[in-house]
Amino acid sequence: MTDTDKSDTLVPDEGLAPASTALPTAGVMDDLATPPRSQWRDVRDQFKTHKGAMIGAILFIFIVAGVYLGPYLWSIDPTQIDIRSRNQGPSWAHPFGTDQLGRDILARMMSGGQTSVSVGITAMLLALFLGSFIGVIAGFFKRLDGPLMRLTDLFLALPLLPLLLVMMLLFREPLSAAFGLERGIFILIVCAIGITSWMPTARIVRGDVLAIKEREFVLAARSIGTSNRQIITRHILPNVLSPIMVSATLGIATAIITESALSFLGLGFPPDFPTWGRLLFDGVDYLQQYPERVFWPGLAISLTVLSVNYLGDGLRDALDPRIRGR
């Protein structure tokens, strides 16, 4: 067969452009025009798919708004005593009733909620700072890992409630004399809870730092002479943000429960300064006659802790790249 015959058997050119010059299809063009999705947008979308977390977030926002904005709508003084109205049941004038001194329980619930939530958030921030600092230092510097982790194990081995009781008995009077009764007890409770609840955060952060500091981008930063401080602030801390945020939400619940337990034992704020735990303590003596006095603060504590736990569960799933996108 000649060359002319071979050319006659070839498939004729149908006008198709070579692969290198072919134009992209419409679908590919749409993908190129779509802006890249950010990580926080993926986290937000994953969080929205968690029904329990959404319910917990809405409930927690409602509780916080109720205790902080409610006094502007319900202007009754929570410390106002009216003996003629004592021990009343729910009514239009007092939706939650009154206590043994005629004080409005709804007003005291909102005032007590401000104290309990403030103690929970402030103590959580203190515990988060201590736990994150010790966890990063222990995970990044090998020489300090052993002593800091033994210190963490020592705090974990201490009985929490007896230690809190000893701290309250030892430092209650000096702090009250220095800062005033209410402010001194607030500082004491926040410090006591924060100092005794940083250990789980430290262990979680340390484990993540041990894994992250061996990653390629950290080794590359070290190879070009980046200082340890810059490596920690620019590369380590942003990548351990997810366990820190989850620990923050769970720490609020733990702090609120601890403060309520101290107030219930009579070692928290003074009797005329309401908290949810103090309201529980005051209502125990009237449990059989007026069970609603224990029901309302107990319900507020339970709903707040439950909503924060669901919120932390949703954040954990949203911030975990292995779960995100399922």
Side-chain angles (χ1 to χ4, degrees), residues 1-317:
M1 183 179 296
T2 62
D3 295 340
T4 304
D5 296 334
K6 291 181 181 181
S7 62
D8 294 339
T9 59
L10 293 177
V11 178
D13 187 7
E14 297 181 357
L16 297 175
S20 59
T21 60
L23 296 176
T25 61
V28 176
M29 291 295 294
D30 293 338
D31 293 339
L32 294 176
T34 303
R37 292 173 59 89
S38 65
Q39 178 184 0
W40 292 110
R41 185 177 177 182
D42 292 338
V43 170
R44 183 191 63 187
D45 293 342
Q46 178 66 30
F47 183 82
K48 287 182 178 180
T49 61
H50 198 295
K51 295 182 180 179
M54 291 299 298
I55 295 174
I58 294 173
L59 183 59
F60 184 71
I61 293 173
F62 176 78
I63 292 174
V64 172
V67 299
Y68 283 102
L69 300 180
Y72 293 100
L73 302 176
W74 191 257
S75 58
I76 297 179
D77 187 359
T79 61
Q80 181 181 357
I81 297 176
D82 185 5
I83 298 298
R84 294 174 298 178
S85 302
R86 64 190 182 94
N87 295 329
Q88 289 186 358
S91 62
W92 289 109
H94 305 285
F96 287 2
T98 58
D99 62 3
Q100 69 276 8
L101 297 178
R103 296 172 296 190
D104 185 75
I105 295 180
L106 176 59
R108 292 178 65 79
M109 281 286 299
M110 290 187 290
S111 178
Q114 293 179 11
T115 305
S116 297
V117 173
S118 298
V119 168
I121 294 176
T122 310
M124 175 272 298
L125 292 175
L126 177 59
L128 206 64
F129 172 77
L130 293 175
S132 301
F133 178 78
I134 293 177
V136 169
I137 297 300
F140 192 81
F141 298 101
K142 188 176 181 181
R143 293 183 178 179
L144 299 177
D145 186 18
L148 290 178
M149 284 301 99
R150 301 296 77 77
L151 177 65
T152 305
D153 294 337
L154 175 63
F155 272 85
L156 286 171
L158 295 175
L160 179 59
L161 188 57
L163 180 62
L164 289 173
L165 297 179
V166 171
M167 293 177 66
M168 295 297 295
L169 293 175
L170 289 178
F171 301 105
R172 184 186 184 97
E173 295 299 331
L175 288 177
S176 297
F179 299 99
L181 182 59
E182 297 173 357
R183 184 175 298 178
I185 294 178
F186 180 86
I187 295 174
L188 175 57
I189 292 179
V190 167
C191 293
I193 297 175
I195 291 173
T196 56
S197 57
W198 56 267
M199 297 80 70
T201 303
R203 301 190 70 163
I204 293 173
V205 172
R206 169 188 173 268
D208 285 354
V209 171
L210 287 175
I212 291 173
K213 76 174 184 178
E214 301 299 332
R215 300 284 297 274
E216 292 82 1
F217 61 90
V218 176
L219 298 178
R222 194 188 302 275
S223 66
I224 62 175
T226 307
S227 63
N228 291 331
R229 181 182 61 83
Q230 292 177 333
I231 291 177
I232 292 175
T233 56
R234 295 181 181 180
H235 301 288
I236 299 296
L237 284 178
N239 286 279
V240 298
L241 186 61
S242 114
I244 289 176
M245 293 180 64
V246 174
S247 298
T249 56
L250 301 179
I252 295 176
T254 303
I256 290 176
I257 291 178
T258 306
E259 183 277 327
S260 300
L262 290 174
S263 297
F264 182 77
L265 294 174
L267 295 174
F269 291 92
D272 57 342
F273 193 78
T275 66
W276 286 340
R278 188 74 202 189
L279 293 176
L280 276 175
F281 177 78
D282 293 339
V284 168
D285 296 335
Y286 303 90
L287 181 59
Q288 295 182 351
Q289 297 89 349
Y290 309 102
E292 66 274 4
R293 295 189 188 177
V294 177
F295 173 77
W296 293 120
L299 179 65
I301 295 172
S302 300
L303 290 179
T304 304
V305 172
L306 185 64
S307 63
V308 170
N309 284 334
Y310 274 120
L311 190 61
D313 191 25
L315 282 176
R316 181 192 60 195
D317 293 348

